[in-house]
Amino acid sequence: MNSEQSLWGRISNSNVFYHFVRDKVAFISASILLLIILAAIFAPLLTSHNPNDLATLDVMDGEIPPVWTEEGDERFLLGTDDQGRDILSAILYGARVSLLIGICAVVLQCLLGVIIGLVAGYAGGRVDSLLMRLADIQLSFSSLMLAIIVLAFFRAFVGGDLYSQFAMVILIFVIGVAEWPQYARTIRACVLAEKEKEYVQAAQVMGFTTVRIMFRHILPNCLSPIFVISTVQIANAIISEAALSFLGLGMPVTQPSLGSLIKSGFDYLQSGQWWITIIPGLFLIVLVLVINLLGDWLRDVLNPKLYKG
Amino acid sequence: MALLEVNNLKIEFPSRHGVAVAVEDVSFEVNPGEILGLVGESGAGKSTIGNAIIDLLSPPGRVAGGDVFLKGEKISSLPASRIRQIRGAEIGFIFQDPMTSLNPLFTVEEQLMETILANLDVTQESAKQKALNMLEQVGIPEPEIRIKQYPHQFSGGMRQRVGIAIALSADPALIIADEPTTALDVSIQDQILQLIRSLCKKRQVGCILVTHDMGVIANITDRVAVMYQGNLVESGTTEQILQRPEHPYTKSLISAVPRADVKLKRFPLVNYIEKASVGFSQIDVSNHWLGQTSASDVSSVAKGEDLLRVEHVNLRFITKNALLAKNRRYIQASDDVSFTVKKGETFGLVGESGSGKSTIARVIAGIYPPESGRIFFADQEISAMSERERRPIRRQIQMVFQNPYSSMNPRMRVQDIIAEPIYFHKLAGSRKEVEMIVGDLLDHVGLGRRAGIKFPHEFSGGQRQRISIARALATRPQLLICDEPTSALDVSVQAQILNLLKDLQDELGLTMLFISHDLPVIRQMCDRVSVMRYGKILEQNETEALFISPQHDYTKNLLALIPHMDHLSREGLMVQQG
Amino acid sequence: KTLKVAYDADPVSLDLHEQLSGGTLQLSHMVGDPLVRWTQELKFEGRLAERWERIDDRTMRFYLRKGVKFHSGNEFTALDVKWTFNRLRTSPDFKAIFAPFESAKVVDRYTIDLVTNKPYPLLLNVATYVFPLDSKFYTGFDENGKSKDALVKHGNSYASRNFSGTGPFIVTQREQGVKVEFKRYDDYWDKKSPGNVSEIILTPIKEDATRVSALLAGDVDFISPVPPTDYDRLEKSDKVDMVTLDGTRIITFQLNQKRVEAFKNPKVRLAIDYAINNAGIAKKLMKGLGTPAAQHSPKGYMGYSEDIKLRYDLKKAKQLMKEAGYEKGLKVTMMAPNNRYVNDAKIAQAVANMLAKINIQVDLKTMPKAQYWPEFDKRAADIMMLGWHADTEDSANFIEFLAMCPNSETGFGQYNSGNYCNPEVDKLVLQSSEETDLAKRQTLLQKAEKILYDEAAFIPLHWQDLAWAAKKNVQLAPVVNVMNFPYVGDLVVK
Amino acid sequence: MIIFLLKRLLQAVVVMFIISLIGFTIKDSLGDPVREMVGESVSEEEREALREKLGLNDPFIVQYGRFLKGAVQGDLGQSYFYKKPVTDVILSKLPATLELVFGATLIIIFFSVPLGVYCAIKPRSWLTKFIMGASIVGISVPVFLTGIFLMFIFGVILDYLPVFGRGELISVWGPWETGLFTLDGLAHLILPSITLSSLMLPLFIRLIRSEMTEVLHSEYIKFAWAKGLDKYRIWFRLALKNTMLPVITVGGVQIGTMVAYTILTETVFQWPGMGFMFLEAINRSDTPLIIGYLVFVGLIFVITNTLVDLIYGFIDPTIKVAGGK
Ligand SMILES: Nc1ncnc2c1ncn2[C@@H]1O[C@H](COP(=O)(O)OP(=O)(O)OP(=O)(O)O)[C@@H](O)[C@H]1O
Ligand SMILES: Nc1ncnc2c1ncn2[C@@H]1O[C@H](COP(=O)(O)OP(=O)(O)OP(=O)(O)O)[C@@H](O)[C@H]1O
Ligand SMILES: [Mg+2]
Ligand SMILES: [Mg+2]
């Protein structure tokens, strides 16, 4: 136990890393996730055309099925959507937006929720009532309403023309803020139960600050529901973003995210153009799947009692 | 035919750092009606054997070899359904840690009843009767009210008794009792042991009794097995082992038993250390980190003056809530308690289980606010302070909890648990220094630095208790509240730890509030003692005076019940007189 | 026979005068009869008016059908027509259509004159909006002490809950937004009507996919509208029949000349028109359920002229941009609704893509109509989408609203977000609205359309076609029409 | 306890007040209600006149004052579209939503508990892997898609189940009409309930599994094994109770959410409940209804959370319900 270990040394010596290298599922999931992220980042290199460059689109290329079907077209490996966008390119470019929004929004939700939940649960009494009623108010204003509110403010103070430049930030903000109560209430409940336990009292006796007790001691013992909610929320956030775009609040329609790509295909689902929804849908499922698997794995690893040795 | 037969049992805990062998090649047997005492070093593998017998080793643990036979049937590697029938009905098990083994969400009644109903063929009604009966037998006062309560409303000793009641309630043929009386005062301990004894004799029940208390061994066991570092080093009849120990470890163990008759300066030390894996070292406090004072210490109090003053502290717990105040029921856990503790002394608190000792300790430590009354620390009224004002003082009042396991964050490594207060209160200069200090503390409590990377659940009961002590010392407190600090330690380790505390006290003027059921230990450690019952202080005196001429009837009774160890051999043993 | 109908929305009120909307008109034709109605060929057919004649260039005399009974049992007379006419003129929604009228004069019990202020060529067109109501039924006070004929937009008026007209169906039960139930009126005057539907349950199903599924699952007999994406599938299905008609609602884009300097240049506008492949959009996005347009007026309307041809030529478009000095391109904003017209958002997107090809970068924003209209009123984007259907089924209406110089006093050009203004066009249209000589009127309107076309005053896309789908046993084709109010009274179900 | 409830009631009022205030501040951004009331060709002056008549041009304070005055008497205004008091509209839509939520909740409870527990006790079985995998698919498939799929399969292809609406209803009490007691009504309930539960069910399975896994490793469960209890008792009574604490909290929020906005499911299946009503209200800029609805939803959340807190306090004896110390 040399204290002068390099960062890498500490990482490679840590439990998480140790179990990671030995867990096939975790390893494969992480590889796939990495692959997806890389593909999204390097999308311009991997695709034949940029679906966000509108000039390259032609409606007459619309709704071409994937190459392996009869009417397929070699130019479009996975077919095209109604606007003639190559699905493959659209997925990769869309994944950029969706991943960023999904992950950032969930991080924001989680951050807000965890802080508020910890404070509410730990402080109790008035603070608790106040924060929890705030959560009730927030819940009443679902992301839909919140988006409208934020947009109205944005228009009033910044001007609507700039919207598309800030769309991403606004979306992250809206989705991030709309759902914090989920976390807050869960954490609060957990804190209520944990704070009666003796190890918390022991920490109090040590003279630790409240903040430290909340984050260092209680929070790690409340991780498991957070993990479950988070993995669900990422999928949710990606879909919500698409739903908000209907209200004119999403990303610009000319730059479809993964969610809006899926959503735009709903109309076509029954009429046979399945690929517009199903292929990006599968992509989303794989994405969420690996995130979930990693989440499950991480949760187990972070629980010392579950070490398999 | 032996009731239980254990042959060549070997138990391992594999981990990424290698396989730890907890029990190696252990064989013994228990006959019907017989009580086998299992003694040994803390961490020797006693609890592990018990767990292995009923196939409940905690996860990475596995039985690597050997067999277990119950009434001639091989019960190791039985199918899950069959072993489940054996548990409870055939083998009653009392876990070492009473705090965590009761489900916090169910009342004591539910937990008792379900055991009875699951294992015995009785009606709901008679199960209820039996449950009440059991509680009464283990000495819980007012069982009709208590049975409806939840575990957290019980004191440490009461929880332990509930655990015993549950284990005995299904009339098992074999009882495995893992340190069943550590949190009990002598009179109740006596009652429980008699209960077990009479069960064994009357119904030919076999019993494995794991204990550190040589008095208990001497008084009720028929045979004794001694364990050391995973091996069974010696076994024989009680008399044989106690009077003519053969193995050097046994010898040194017996020599370290604290004496109830005379007060010694230091505890006699065991110098048998076979593999010397973990070295106890006597510390040189003047050069040691523990001896340094930090700027924020309260140094205004001179040795011999009052460091802690407790004045008329009252605290009630609600036992039955109701809308109207008059319908509420309370337990007066602390009834007008007053005492003072001088700087540099050790103040003892003894008394019946459930008498409010832990409660008052918690009030002083600032966990419960007192309902009325005042507490002064170094002449500052800490009971009236806000949390913020109080924080700097908190470091100086530390507490060793009665239940070490539940008082440690299960998600933190032991080294982090101990290092955290050092970091937090900035008691060390660098990261490296902290790591050194932590390793040092672990050494001093006999665990060794390597223990640092493990998590609390990977330790034995006694080892956890030592971690808890190390953590309390890490803040370099002025006042140390010890709530049963050594109940799970074998006498040799106990001696080490208590000597460490004594050293600290001598050199630094460490002040201690010492709660214990172990009267010999109290006699050795404390300068003054208070006796508590029903939340009140009955009597308070200089230790020697109290032991020699107790005033209150309750005290007299208590002292009379100290297990006699006259037949304990002390000759030829290496006793260090300090 | 019971007919289960699923529309995308249900009528907002039982008061036929409350809102001028497709839903209301569909209801009107079920529970009432107009004086005259349109045939499929856009000719007039007498209903409660048996015949009519022009008395002078401002007056039309209607001879009413005798022996017609209202649902309440009251007899239908000219007084009811006059009452209805007067009520319509107080309705905020209808008052504009009836503005050219001076009065209704009862001649006798079964004869009535409608008099206009000036010679008015569209008198009969407007008469299709007169669904005589039971004046006696609406006289007096309701339980709340309010006048029964009160016309309230947002309140719970008597007329919005109770109805008495002459139509083939009586409303038996109505739950706003959930369903309306109708029963055939036993004493319906039109004994010649082949209609054999005895009961109707109308359910609004907003979601396209659900509506189609409901039909395919057999839960409903008849749906409208049919989403273009499901067109193929329904067409192929052996359980259902589809009926389509070329529509009359034009979908356009307007280029705001006030906001964008370049749009003042007709060359830029032309370039844009050339850049957009209307035929492609109609074929691919609309699945053929749209007729590509180059002018406002659909075929059959007075202003329609065969010579106005579709324009699509990318090369030419680029050329024009260059000539106008914009070969480097432009950056503009565009707004479109996403739940107002069929495929509105998709169309806007496709248009944006096409404009990118001539270097016009479009920042497109789509939003629900509730948000869109306020934006439209503010003229919040450089290019805005607008669809229009002429209430009078007449070409002049298009131009009055969409292409005449905006004028807040006269109200002309109210929907002209492009601010296109050409006094000559205004003059032609104003002339046409007083011209009762139909041939002359036609020339005027065609001329106006031609100017708009030549100057690319606006960017036409297509006329939204109408489509209905029904189970095989429902004989839909004879009762539907381009105005999208099927004459369910005449519907035959086998 | 009573004091606790009274306090909560008071808080609910404050919550509703704040929501209405926010609602009022933003109502102009929700679109122009007048636009929805009139035909498209109606002139600007007419619209302005109507706006004036509706009091929409009054200053904020005046409008809000008017609203509050009504609200105190339980009148949240009139819906523009339904032309009825907002409260009546909401109450008439409530049963539909409650039934749907009830159906979905039943599905969630009946499946999530056994499946979640199974996955926790048999972490390595292939069935567990399948359930966990399927649950992820469930999470990532949008509700809308699930709905259309179910509709397509069971409605169109197999033709077993009706695809829209509530079917035959019978009146129970006052405005309360239910489809729970007719076969037709029940048949209509099936697909929407499944769809609605499709998102929550995986969440619950995963949550139960993860919490249960932790609980199963606790000392008291080990002790319970040592007591010789039946395995089902340990899993489904002891461990499950400890597991349920966090699950109830999340569940409370989720069920509150379901009551509040089952928007997508209701839209797909044309289910005449509150979520559908809300979406329509937004589309129509029916501002009084939107605000009334938000206020109502705030109340629902306070109620469900109060219930959750009560249940929580009931299950976990160490937790004192705030207010009753
Ligand atoms: N879950 C575990 N993982 C790893 N090691 C463990 C685990 N449980 C116990 N051990 C180790 O096994 C050894 C034996 O532990 P055991 O609890 O049997 O000791 P014990 O004899 O009961 O001691 P004590 O008297 O202190 O209770 C100890 O060294 C302990 O560290
Ligand atoms: N949180 C609580 N709620 C209700 N009653 C409690 C609570 N904590 C302790 N008590 C009761 O207060 C009394 C004193 O408990 P305390 O823990 O101080 O006893 P003790 O002297 O430490 O006993 P032991 O030696 O058995 O640990 C007991 O009767 C116990 O049941
Ligand atoms: Mg042990
Ligand atoms: Mg105690």
Side-chain angles (χ1 to χ4, degrees), chain D:
Chain D
M1 168 86 174
I2 291 176
I3 300 168
F4 170 75
L5 290 181
L6 282 177
K7 267 192 184 164
R8 278 297 168 93
L9 199 71
L10 198 76
Q11 291 174 1
V13 173
V14 177
V15 163
M16 287 156 70
F17 174 78
I18 295 175
I19 291 179
S20 71
L21 195 65
I22 301 177
F24 250 82
T25 354
I26 59 155
K27 86 179 167 53
D28 292 336
S29 341
L30 296 174
D32 181 2
V34 169
R35 265 290 185 179
E36 279 303 310
M37 286 184 219
V38 301
E40 274 173 17
S41 54
V42 171
S43 71
E44 178 58 33
E45 294 100 79
E46 286 297 340
R47 278 187 264 144
E48 198 51 39
L50 190 56
R51 214 169 278 139
E52 189 65 41
K53 210 166 123 207
L54 291 172
L56 291 173
N57 288 338
D58 295 345
F60 177 80
I61 300 291
V62 177
Q63 292 192 41
Y64 190 55
R66 206 159 43 214
F67 171 80
L68 273 193
K69 216 170 119 199
V72 172
Q73 295 153 9
D75 171 17
L76 295 176
Q78 284 252 332
S79 156
Y80 295 142
F81 177 68
Y82 291 95
K83 305 187 171 68
K84 279 195 282 185
V86 162
T87 32
D88 290 5
V89 177
I90 293 176
L91 288 180
S92 71
K93 302 286 174 186
L94 187 62
T97 296
L98 286 184
E99 273 169 33
L100 182 56
V101 169
F102 176 70
T105 311
L106 278 190
I107 294 177
I108 291 173
I109 291 174
F110 276 115
F111 286 92
S112 72
V113 172
L115 293 183
V117 171
Y118 179 86
C119 291
I121 56 189
K122 294 257 157 62
R124 299 200 192 295
S125 100
W126 62 266
L127 185 60
T128 296
K129 289 185 178 140
F130 173 77
I131 294 172
M132 297 315 284
S135 73
I136 290 168
V137 175
I139 285 170
S140 38
V141 176
V143 169
F144 203 92
L145 210 60
T146 322
I148 295 181
F149 247 82
L150 289 176
M151 209 148 86
F152 191 60
I153 295 171
F154 292 99
V156 178
I157 296 187
L158 299 175
D159 204 4
Y160 287 157
L161 293 167
V163 296
F164 77 95
R166 284 179 79 192
E168 191 185 337
L169 302 179
I170 46 177
S171 180
V172 182
W173 175 76
W176 187 277
E177 287 192 322
T178 178
L180 291 181
F181 302 122
T182 62
L183 251 134
D184 188 44
L186 285 175
H188 278 80
L189 190 59
I190 295 175
L191 290 183
S193 309
I194 295 179
T195 308
L196 184 56
S197 62
S198 70
L199 191 66
M200 309 278 177
L201 184 60
L203 174 70
F204 276 83
I205 292 179
R206 298 182 78 79
L207 199 62
I208 290 177
R209 178 190 95 109
S210 97
E211 286 298 321
M212 184 99 169
T213 312
E214 305 231 325
V215 171
L216 285 179
H217 282 86
S218 66
E219 297 287 310
Y220 49 82
I221 293 301
K222 192 169 156 190
F223 188 55
W225 287 115
K227 293 199 292 187
L229 299 187
D230 183 58
K231 63 181 172 188
Y232 296 106
R233 189 177 173 84
I234 292 182
W235 288 333
F236 287 97
R237 188 169 148 75
L238 303 185
L240 195 59
K241 191 165 175 185
N242 296 75
T243 303
M244 280 337 263
L245 283 179
V247 176
I248 284 172
T249 321
V250 177
V253 184
Q254 296 297 351
I255 289 182
T257 317
M258 281 206 278
V259 177
Y261 27 91
T262 41
I263 297 179
L264 285 177
T265 312
E266 291 189 0
T267 314
V268 175
F269 290 97
Q270 197 69 31
W271 190 263
M274 297 206 305
F276 183 55
M277 174 203 82
F278 177 59
L279 194 69
E280 292 283 271
I282 290 208
N283 280 337
R284 296 199 183 91
S285 314
D286 195 343
T287 39
L289 189 56
I290 296 176
I291 293 172
Y293 169 84
L294 290 177
V295 168
F296 189 76
V297 165
L299 182 66
I300 289 182
F301 276 113
V302 178
I303 291 176
T304 45
N305 288 338
T306 304
L307 285 179
V308 166
D309 284 353
L310 280 181
I311 297 175
Y312 209 99
F314 186 68
I315 296 187
D316 190 344
T318 61
I319 289 172
K320 303 156 205 104
V321 172
K325 191 158 184 173

Side-chain angles (χ1 to χ4, degrees), chain B residues 46-48 96 178-179 210 460-462:
Chain B
K46 304 178 294 292
S47 306
T48 307
Q96 188 172 4
D178 196 353
E179 317 220 14
V210 179
S460 79

Side-chain angles (χ1 to χ4, degrees), chain C residues 22 63 70 80 87 110 119 123 142 179 186 207 228 230 251 290 326 345 372 375 382 451 457 479 486 492:
Chain C
Y63 299 94
F70 285 112
D80 296 306
R87 192 162 184 268
Y110 296 111
L123 199 150
D142 66 2
K179 68 175 173 201
D186 295 332
E207 216 44 65
D230 288 309
I251 305 295
Y326 290 101
Y372 184 69
E375 297 286 328
D382 304 336
I451 297 173
V479 301
V492 178

